[in-house]
Amino acid sequence: MMGIGLLIVVITLVGGAVLSAQSSINGTISRSIGLLETVFFTFASGALVLAVLINFFGSGHLLDLLHAPKLQLSAVFLGFGYLFLSTFSVNMIGVTPANLTAIVGQIVAGFVIDAIGLFGTEVIHFSWQRGVSLVLMLAALLLIFSEKQDNPAAQL
């Protein structure tokens, strides 16, 4: 039987694959309908799906958003920013470089958030293991981008 830790890893990997597919699809559709229109369509259709899910499975606390700290509510702009920038960058540099760059950005931000306990998170100090992982991810970025430089067919 699969342990809960392995299940969480598998679910997270599937989520990452879905996010990559979304980036690719959004990049493609944005070439037809426009960047802002694609981001709008993604958020609007997502809102409709979530409205149905909230109606049937929600906890009934949606109006508590009115009492949430404003900083927490500003996360909506971060989500918009991520979707906008990922859709834009996929068309400029391709799915893999765009997603890998976003992941490295997420990891760096995560290291900073952990190290200083931003947003009320538990402080997790930067370790040599995290440093090595960061160097390896930066090396992966360098290799991915150097491949695009070496292969004229891969350049946009």
Side-chain angles (χ1 to χ4, degrees), residues 3 22 24 27 33 40 48 52 57 73 75-76 79-80 83 90 97 103 106 108 114 121 128 144 148:
Q22 181 195 22
S24 178
I33 68 171
F40 173 78
L48 289 174
V52 170
F57 305 107
L73 294 176
V76 69
F80 163 78
L83 185 60
V90 161
I103 290 166
Q106 290 172 14
V108 169
D114 282 347
T121 61
W128 71 267
I144 291 292
K148 287 192 78 62

Side-chain angles (χ1 to χ4, degrees), residues 2 13 18-19 39 44 61 71 83 118 126 133:
M2 190 180 334
L13 286 171
V18 168
L19 192 58
V39 174
H61 300 287
L71 179 63
L83 185 60
L118 271 177
F126 193 80
S133 70

Side-chain angles (χ1 to χ4, degrees), residues 61-74:
H61 300 287
L62 187 59
L63 292 179
D64 287 347
L65 281 172
L66 299 173
H67 307 292
K70 302 302 181 237
L71 179 63
Q72 291 175 1
L73 294 176
S74 70

Side-chain angles (χ1 to χ4, degrees), residues 6 15 26 31 46 50 59 67 87 102-103 115 126:
L6 182 57
N26 281 351
R31 290 193 294 264
L50 285 170
S59 63
H67 307 292
T87 302
I103 290 166
F126 193 80

Side-chain angles (χ1 to χ4, degrees), residues 10-11 14 39 41 48 56 61 64 72 80-81 84 107 115 119 128 139 141 143 149 151 154:
V10 169
I11 288 171
V14 169
V39 174
F41 173 73
L48 289 174
F56 290 104
H61 300 287
D64 287 347
Q72 291 175 1
F80 163 78
F84 179 86
I107 297 297
F119 314 116
W128 71 267
L141 265 180
L143 289 171
Q149 297 279 341
N151 183 0

